[in-house]
């Protein structure tokens, strides 16, 4: 294996570019090639990112480019087919969330990756926000004691383009709600047993306007999760409550609230200001830094991609595995089934 991993990009739109700029910040990989069904878009991304090659299809890039791994950043409906092509070509894949449109397709990808001996990591980047990392560390230390309730959500404004079409994987449940569900399953760290959802559908569209979800877990833990495209902006939160206290993180805020009778240093209500990591990432080229100056998620995506690269070089599973992605999709499937039957769905 080369000193640096060689990457290709499948899906050369804005999200793919952001992820590749973050990849270059890790100093663990080189971007070799970009692919997109719009060849001009692939060429523009390659020029922007300093890649040598551009292709009009993933198939061409996977067959011709000297790469070991790919970032898949297509529209939702194309994530699983594109990742399947990469896995079949023996490439590791960082696949943007939600990985697939349903759990069956997600499981097909997870199984294919295991058979091929390659890593698939799902792009649930909220796990890599510094305040969420600290939250998980405190929970693992027993900050809230026995968990009893998790309350979270991701809300966003009116969604347009392909994001308003079910066939393309649109709707807030897949777009931002999948993030909320993944973080809830992550901190719960146990099997979900039952899902009930109240879903409101958007007028003139086949996607949901909002979904309010109850998840029952083993051990008596209950989660309440909301997602919506009704907000006049965007907001996310995650509260974890238990026998010894509570912790709360809010999306796009560096503050982490902690109150814990189990950890003496947090016996009084405390808000911790959590900063992004510094000194761990290589700087972007000056011209790229100018274009991306101040974009708040670069460090988060770089942390995510550092984990992906390290999982490859260390020969281990990534911390956000394909199986994790499938578990989130199982809950999403149950939400949609519950909406149809107006009743609970057992997992």
């Amino acid at each position: 294996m080369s000193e640096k991993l060689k990457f290709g990009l499948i899906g050369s739109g804005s999200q793919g570019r952001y992820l590749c700029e973050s990849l270059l910040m890790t100093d663990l990989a080189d971007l070799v090639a970009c692919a997109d069904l719009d060849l001009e878009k692939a060429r523009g991304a390659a020029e922007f990112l300093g890649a040598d090659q551009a292709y009009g299809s993933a198939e061409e890039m996977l067959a011709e480019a000297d790469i070991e791994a790919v970032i898949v950043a297509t529209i939702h409906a194309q994530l699983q087919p594109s990742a399947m092509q990469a896995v079949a070509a023996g490439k590791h894949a960082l696949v943007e969330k939600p990985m697939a449109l349903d759990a069956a397709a997600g499981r097909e990808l997870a199984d294919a990756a295991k058979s091929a001996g390659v890593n698939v990591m799902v792009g649930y980047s909220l796990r890599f926000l510094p305040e969420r990392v600290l939250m998980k560390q405190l929970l693992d230390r027993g900050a809230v004691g026995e968990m009893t309730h998790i309350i979270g959500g991701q809300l966003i404004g009116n969604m347009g383009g392909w994001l308003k079409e079910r066939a393309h994987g649109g709707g807030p449940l897949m777009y931002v709600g999948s993030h909320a569900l993944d973080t809830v399953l992550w901190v719960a760290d146990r099997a979900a047993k039952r899902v009930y959802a109240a879903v409101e559908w958007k007028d003139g569209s086949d996607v949901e306007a909002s979904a309010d979800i109850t998840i029952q877990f083993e051990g008596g833990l209950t989660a309440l999760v909301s997602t919506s495209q009704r907000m006049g902006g965007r907001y996310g939160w995650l509260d974890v409550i238990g026998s010894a206290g509570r912790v709360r993180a809010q999306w796009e805020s560096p503050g982490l609230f902690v109150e814990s009778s189990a950890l003496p240093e947090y016996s009084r209500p405390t808000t911790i200001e959590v900063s992004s990591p510094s000194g761990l990432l290589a700087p972007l080229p000056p011209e790229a830094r100018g274009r991306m100056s101040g974009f708040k998620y670069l460090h988060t995506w770089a942390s995510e991609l550092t984990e992906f690269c390290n999982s490859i070089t260390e020969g281990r599973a990534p911390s956000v595995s394909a199986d994790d992605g499938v578990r989130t999709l199982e809950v999403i499937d149950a939400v949609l089934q519950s909406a149809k039957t107006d009743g609970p769905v057992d997992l």
Side-chain angles (χ1 to χ4, degrees):
M1 184 173 291
S2 59
E3 183 178 346
K4 289 187 179 183
L5 293 165
K6 296 179 182 178
F7 268 72
L9 170 64
I10 300 175
S12 299
S14 58
Q15 182 65 12
R17 292 186 181 200
Y18 295 152
L19 289 171
C20 287
E21 291 218 54
S22 299
L23 176 71
L24 298 177
M25 290 175 66
T26 71
D27 208 27
L28 298 172
D30 290 321
L31 183 68
V32 173
C34 299
D36 198 280
L37 294 176
D38 182 341
L39 180 57
E40 288 307 308
K41 185 179 289 186
R43 287 172 174 161
E47 181 179 0
F48 180 87
L49 296 161
D52 293 331
Q53 301 157 31
Y55 296 90
S57 71
E59 295 94 331
E60 286 184 87
M61 184 183 74
L62 292 167
E64 298 178 15
D66 180 17
I67 57 175
E68 297 155 290
V70 297
I71 292 171
V72 183
T74 63
I75 67 172
H76 291 166
Q78 291 301 314
L79 290 171
Q80 193 264 11
S82 298
M84 287 291 289
Q85 292 176 335
V87 166
K91 314 301 181 186
H92 306 280
L94 184 286
V95 187
E96 259 298 1
K97 58 81 199 161
M99 172 193 186
L101 297 188
D102 56 43
R107 174 54 60 198
E108 181 184 15
L109 176 56
D111 290 345
K114 290 173 185 175
S115 295
V118 297
N119 282 4
V120 167
M121 179 170 170
V122 186
Y124 282 117
S125 55
L126 295 192
R127 294 196 193 191
F128 295 89
L129 290 168
E131 61 273 14
R132 302 286 175 106
V133 172
L134 179 57
M135 171 187 266
K136 187 65 164 65
Q137 291 170 346
L138 292 174
L139 291 171
D140 290 344
R141 289 177 58 195
V144 304
E146 181 181 351
M147 279 188 277
T148 57
H149 297 84
I150 302 174
I151 306 169
Q154 290 290 136
L155 312 179
I156 200 165
N158 187 54
M159 298 166 63
W162 65 266
L163 284 169
K164 65 181 182 182
E165 299 179 25
R166 175 68 60 193
H168 294 317
L173 183 61
M174 285 287 194
Y175 185 49
V176 291
S178 59
H179 273 303
L181 290 169
D182 171 73
T183 53
V184 165
L185 296 174
W186 176 50
V187 298
D189 195 26
R190 67 192 73 181
K193 292 170 42 180
R194 177 173 290 185
V195 173
Y196 175 76
V199 176
E200 296 291 333
W201 302 97
K202 184 172 175 61
D203 291 342
S205 171
D206 63 352
V207 301
E208 66 282 351
S210 63
D212 295 290
I213 305 157
T214 301
I215 308 171
Q216 294 177 325
F217 291 90
E218 293 178 351
L221 172 64
T222 299
L224 306 174
V225 185
S226 294
T227 190
S228 170
Q229 58 173 311
R230 290 172 162 174
M231 188 176 179
R234 58 186 191 178
Y235 177 60
W237 73 100
L238 183 65
D239 283 280
V240 184
I241 302 163
S243 59
R246 63 190 180 102
V247 295
R248 177 182 177 89
Q250 298 182 90
W251 190 37
E252 301 191 328
S253 168
L256 178 66
F257 177 87
V258 188
E259 184 176 10
S260 172
S261 61
L263 301 179
E265 62 267 41
Y266 302 116
S267 60
R268 294 179 179 273
T270 303
T271 298
I272 308 167
E273 293 296 316
V274 187
S275 60
S276 295
S278 61
L280 301 177
L281 302 171
L284 288 167
E287 67 277 8
R289 190 184 304 115
R291 289 189 297 254
M292 297 294 296
S293 176
F295 196 79
K296 63 184 70 178
Y297 298 114
L298 284 177
H299 278 87
T300 298
W301 289 324
S303 296
E304 175 184 53
L305 285 154
T306 295
E307 165 61 15
F308 180 52
C309 290
N310 286 342
S311 76
I312 295 169
T313 57
E314 294 168 9
R316 58 171 175 83
S319 62
V320 191
S321 67
D323 289 336
D324 291 332
V326 172
R327 281 187 280 271
T328 297
L329 287 167
E330 288 172 343
V331 174
I332 291 174
D333 287 352
V335 168
L336 297 174
Q337 181 63 28
S338 179
K340 288 181 180 179
T341 63
D342 195 27
V345 175
D346 292 328
L347 296 176

